[in-house]
């Protein structure tokens, strides 16, 4: 198993760690039993993600993918954020070991979960827009 | 606090020591003969191999004829278990007793045999990581071919009642193998006194090269080969002898077993200081019995954080440590050893193993005890699990 | 005539070259991490292992994912054959095709399988030491699990029609393994072009360390493990990676395969001069085809004398040579290889193998050609067999 | 397999190699197929072995045991020579590898064969004195 320099960089200096107290959407995915939990906080203004923060319990890849995912969506429109795929996260990190690809899926789903929460708070049914959130299998 | 480099993962592997390397070096480019060759260059190589065999034998209280060199601890385990299985299945004995927290070299070999008509009983361990020899007794059946129980656990360092277990095996007339890869050089072993029939060891845990190991097989046991071919190792293990590594293993085991007690006297207090220091952190627990453990081993669960990130953070601070066994890193499951002593999955994920040796300084210990709380704090700060714990929420 | 030291037994083993040793050295005492460890010391080790794997793959025309490191050529052979046997026996295929003059690592593995319900067909070789691929075709049955034929013979150096045999195997949809321990680095190999499914190699024949080997397994073949345990080698071969030896093998194969043609151009004429020189002695014969053989190999039977004393005499004159294979010295039977090409026992007993490399000088050749006749004369003088031959008596 | 220094010495500088043209007894044992033939020549004067020589086709141990056996019987009485055991030869050579012990048996038997020949030439039935000569098994 080998981490790219990019992964190690995003692990050592994770971008956007923390919480947003007055977040507009908060999503959490994963479970401690599997060893990974990601919690994502979004600040959204006029359809634009103006800030993103995360807290993560998990391996190096879990931290790095959280960090990268927040970087990739910050300043983007919700539409663009919804288009974020785990592949894009993996690519942006110069790849992930095969056993760690599931972390990028978690990161993708954490973003969607936060957006889902955002719509719910707006009184809008998120399902048609965000789709089903996939919890990792145990 | 100045950054240091501290290798605290000697249970994963060790550096080849200068003494061992200098014993090996001539055998690469000068004394490179094939030990089976008839000319002097070959005969000398063979003499050196036999000297190394003698040293391994002395270290274990065995006869040189009972020592067979292999390519690693895993091969030794595979050979002992599959070989015994092959041998005993001819007598209709197709049952093996082992423990739930063996190394994968034993467990996966047993699982392989289960797929090939064997039954395996996995004896449990208690919450301190110890095996009750009575459980072994009760697991033995009429058709038991082998009992294989590790001498010391590689993750939590607990030392098993090997002599007691061996005695029970002999009463029941069952062969007894022990994976002593973690024990050799750290605890005193005497295969004759302890009644051990077969014993696996590996060079790279005691400052010899990776890729060299040995299997002790008590005289009288005719173990079928795992690797067939040339007549090396008295026909029991084919393959041109790895002379440099064998010579190195001989030297390494000689050194490692020359001062076991003294080393333990140096290491144990330092190890204890590390344990006590780390346990000051809230929500931590020591895994494995505090006393019946390898002198250099500590294994502590730190709740709210995940092991791999802890290791990566420690690495950034110059500390090499482990969480679970190195062989299975890359795997997503928490350590089967930690689960076996009753840890919950989420706790097992956050464990730290340090395995130190007598060369660790007091300053190193200070340094580790300074770094760990900082790193733990940082990881806990970013951990949603820790947040939940602090809020009294349930962690699922 | 001044005494020289000439190592002419490179088929038995080779010295680790300085270049290889210097690639290995850092990995003993400095870059000693366990390749499965998560910290930098471990990650770097893993990166170096992967670089070595890449080099082995390039040398064979394979993909790095198809290369698995083992502890020796013998292990590779055992793994390929037993693994395939295990895999195919599930489909009811319990027949193996091999040749009569394989290395013992193959032969004894086949014999082991014969004891475990397999049938083995041993294809003959002709008097020149060559296998007729049509004999392989005819040996293949509906239930054939594997064909395993060596690339080049270790005693007489003959090179087999591997591509033809592979083609037949593929027509017949049978897996094809080749023991290329003697061929790698001496003849050009391209597993894809040649249609080889599995290939064994060993480091110590090409100036890497003893105790390291590799098995190429074509993508798509899911070979069961020979050694179970940790997740090393993508779960296919347990045991902490022997990083120094692996790195050394990578470097060695890179060097060995970089100038195969040039080396052959240098070695072949010298080898031929040795052949012609020795054949001037009466009652001698070259064993194995003169052209379809490894550039550095010669094997000559010298009647009236016995091989071991010849080797010991040569040794006293500084020449390291072999008679039969090193693995079986100590055995009393004459070489099964020489018997397979039709030699009588008494002739087979008196054979000489020289295996030279491009570093041999013309003066070395001169020296060998001076020493051998003297030594042969001396041994013949004290040989009652030679006496009988000269008297025209029958030798029983 | 390992040869002692003594064996190597007796191989490199074999004592008593050659023939005795007017030998009083000549014995040959072994066969080329097995890889060992020993031929032993004795000169005997008044029951004393005054000279012994050998020719051997065989491995290092075969040469060394022949050499040692001739050394051990030279100057001895026939009676003493008949008491020569292979063990004595092995011992005198500081041991032999297990696979080579049969060579010492050959040497012992070669001496007996030569003595047998001596008695036969004297018109005496050797069997009651020397016993059966054991040829090596193939
Ligand atoms: C043809 C052949 N196969 C297999 C082997 C075994 O290789 P190793 O000694 O590395 O086990 C050898 C050499 O000993 C060989 O020449
Ligand atoms: C208890 C135990 N058994 C077996 C092994 C396997 O040893 P090796 O890596 O030499 O195959 C190890 C270490 O990896 C171990 O700790």
């Amino acid at each position: 198993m080998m981490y790219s320099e990019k992964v190690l960089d995003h692990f050592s200096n994770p971008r956007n760690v923390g919480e947003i107290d007055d977040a507009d959407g908060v999503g959490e995915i994963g479970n401690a039993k599997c060893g990974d939990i990601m919690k994502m906080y979004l600040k959204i203004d006029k359809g634009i993600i103006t800030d993103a923060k995360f807290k993560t319990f998990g391996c190096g890849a879990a931290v790095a993918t959280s960090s990268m995912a927040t970087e990739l969506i910050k300043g983007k429109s919700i539409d663009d954020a919804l288009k974020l795929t785990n592949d894009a996260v993996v690519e942006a990190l110069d790849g992930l070991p095969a056993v760690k690809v599931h972390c990028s899926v978690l990161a993708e789903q954490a973003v969607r979960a936060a957006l889902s929460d955002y719509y719910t708070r707006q009184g809008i049914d998120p399902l048609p827009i965000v789709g089903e959130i996939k919890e990792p299998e145990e | 606090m100045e950054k240091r480099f501290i290798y605290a993962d000697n249970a994963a592997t060790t550096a080849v020591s200068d003494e061992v390397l200098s014993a090996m070096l001539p055998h690469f480019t000068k004394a490179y003969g094939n030990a089976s060759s008839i000319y002097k260059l070959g005969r000398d190589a063979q003499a050196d191999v036999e000297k190394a065999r003698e040293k391994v034998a002395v270290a274990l209280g065995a006869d040189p004829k009972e020592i067979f060199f292999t390519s690693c601890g895993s091969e030794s385990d595979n050979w002992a278990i599959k070989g015994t299985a092959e041998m005993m299945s001819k007598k209709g004995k197709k049952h093996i007793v082992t423990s739930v927290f063996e190394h994968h070299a034993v467990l996966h070999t047993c699982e392989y045999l289960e797929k090939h008509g064997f039954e395996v009983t996995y004896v449990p361990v208690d919450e301190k990581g110890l095996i009750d020899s009575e459980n072994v007794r009760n697991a033995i059946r009429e058709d038991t071919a082998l009992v294989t129980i590790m001498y010391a656990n590689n993750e939590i360092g607990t030392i098993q009642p090997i002599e007691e277990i061996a005695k029970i095996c002999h009463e029941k007339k069952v062969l007894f193998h022990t994976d002593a890869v973690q024990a050799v050089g750290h605890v005193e072993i005497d295969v004759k006194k302890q009644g051990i029939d077969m014993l696996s060891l590996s060079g790279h845990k005691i400052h010899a090269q990776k890729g060299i190991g040995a299997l002790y097989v008590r005289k009288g046991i005719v173990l079928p080969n795992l690797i067939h071919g040339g007549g090396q190792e008295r026909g029991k293990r084919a393959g041109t002898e790895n002379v440099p590594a064998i010579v190195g293993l001989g030297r390494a085991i000689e050194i490692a077993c020359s001062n076991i007690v003294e080393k333990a006297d140096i290491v144990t207090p330092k190890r204890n200081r590390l344990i006590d220091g780390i346990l000051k952190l809230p929500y931590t627990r020591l895994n494995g019995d505090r006393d019946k453990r390898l002198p250099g081993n500590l294994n502590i669960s730190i709740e709210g954080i995940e092991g791999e990130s802890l290791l990566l953070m420690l690495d950034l601070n110059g500390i090499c440590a482990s969480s679970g066994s190195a062989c299975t890193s890359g795997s997503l499951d928490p350590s089967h050893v930690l689960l076996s002593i009753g840890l919950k999955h989420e706790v097992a994920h956050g464990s730290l193993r340090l395995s130190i040796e007598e060369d660790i300084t007091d300053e190193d210990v200070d340094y580790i005890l300074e770094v760990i709380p900082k790193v733990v704090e940082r990881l806990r700060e970013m951990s949603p699990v820790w947040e939940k714990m602090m809020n009294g929420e349930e962690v699922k």
Side-chain angles (χ1 to χ4, degrees), chain B residues 102-156:
Chain B
E102 297 292 313
H103 190 269
H104 282 147
V106 169
L107 283 184
H108 289 167
T109 300
C110 287
E111 287 159 16
Y112 164 83
L113 288 173
E114 283 182 301
K115 281 191 207 130
H116 288 78
F118 275 75
E119 276 181 71
V120 180
T121 301
Y122 299 90
V123 169
V125 295
D126 68 18
E127 74 286 349
K128 299 205 147 187
L130 297 172
I131 291 168
D132 182 344
S133 59
E134 285 308 304
N135 285 334
V136 174
R137 184 193 299 279
N138 296 333
I140 294 175
R141 316 191 309 206
E142 276 298 309
D143 63 341
T144 301
L146 177 72
V147 170
T148 173
I149 299 285
M150 71 199 314
Y151 206 118
N153 183 273
N154 47 308
E155 293 190 32
I156 57 176

Side-chain angles (χ1 to χ4, degrees), chain A residues 32-73:
Chain A
K33 204 173 161 198
C34 292
D36 299 292
I37 299 187
M38 288 183 196
K39 195 166 178 182
M40 194 89 46
Y41 301 81
L42 301 180
K43 192 85 200 131
I44 296 173
D45 188 23
K46 302 199 192 92
I48 301 292
I49 297 169
T50 55
D51 200 7
K53 289 212 181 298
F54 77 92
K55 277 185 140 185
T56 286
F57 164 92
C59 63
V63 174
T65 52
S66 313
S67 167
M68 183 52 88
T70 52
E71 282 288 277
L72 288 174
I73 58 170

Side-chain angles (χ1 to χ4, degrees), chain B residues 131 133 136 147 149 160-169 176:
Chain B
I131 291 168
S133 59
V136 174
V147 170
I149 299 285
Q160 307 310 318
I162 291 302
E163 203 165 335
E164 264 174 57
I165 296 171
K167 211 165 160 195
I168 291 169
C169 292
F176 174 58

Side-chain angles (χ1 to χ4, degrees), chain B residues 34 227-230 232 237-241:
Chain B
N34 186 317
I227 298 180
H228 293 83
Q232 294 91 352
R237 202 288 188 183
T240 300
E241 294 88 341

Side-chain angles (χ1 to χ4, degrees), chain B residues 11 18 46 70 128 239 297 331 391:
Chain B
D18 290 337
Q46 205 201 357
T70 66
K128 299 205 147 187
N297 169 289
S331 135
N391 293 340

Side-chain angles (χ1 to χ4, degrees), chain B residues 236-358:
Chain B
K236 297 315 266 169
R237 202 288 188 183
T240 300
E241 294 88 341
N242 186 344
V243 184
I246 288 172
V247 167
L249 174 57
R251 186 75 186 105
I253 203 169
E254 184 176 48
I255 297 171
C257 295
S258 66
N259 57 350
I260 286 176
V261 178
E262 294 83 342
K263 285 190 295 187
D265 285 348
I266 297 172
V267 170
T268 311
K270 291 179 177 167
R271 194 267 321 268
N272 288 343
R273 196 150 76 81
L274 284 171
I275 292 178
D276 295 333
I278 301 171
L279 287 182
K280 280 193 194 135
L281 290 168
Y283 294 95
T284 52
R285 61 160 273 175
L286 177 68
N287 296 315
D289 192 88
R290 192 170 171 127
D291 300 314
K292 291 183 188 150
R293 75 189 302 140
L294 294 169
N297 169 289
L298 72 85
N299 188 307
I300 288 178
S301 289
I302 303 174
E303 290 190 54
I305 66 172
E306 192 276 339
E308 191 195 289
S309 356
L310 175 60
L311 300 187
L312 287 169
M313 283 287 182
L314 290 176
D315 186 31
L316 291 171
N317 287 282
I319 300 169
C320 297
S322 160
S323 165
S325 78
C327 308
T328 50
S329 79
S331 135
L332 305 174
D333 301 321
S335 144
H336 69 286
V337 173
L338 297 179
L339 298 180
S340 78
I341 57 169
L343 264 61
K344 286 187 293 181
H345 273 68
E346 50 273 30
V347 178
H349 274 299
S351 80
L352 170 70
R353 177 187 75 183
L354 299 176
S355 43
I356 58 171
E357 294 197 341
E358 64 283 5

Side-chain angles (χ1 to χ4, degrees), chain B residues 11 72-75 77 103 105 150 152 154 179 181-182 202 204-205 327:
Chain B
C72 57
S74 301
E75 183 190 330
D77 286 339
H103 190 269
M150 71 199 314
N154 47 308
D179 173 345
V181 168
Q182 291 290 339
S202 177
H204 71 100
K205 312 286 188 184
C327 308

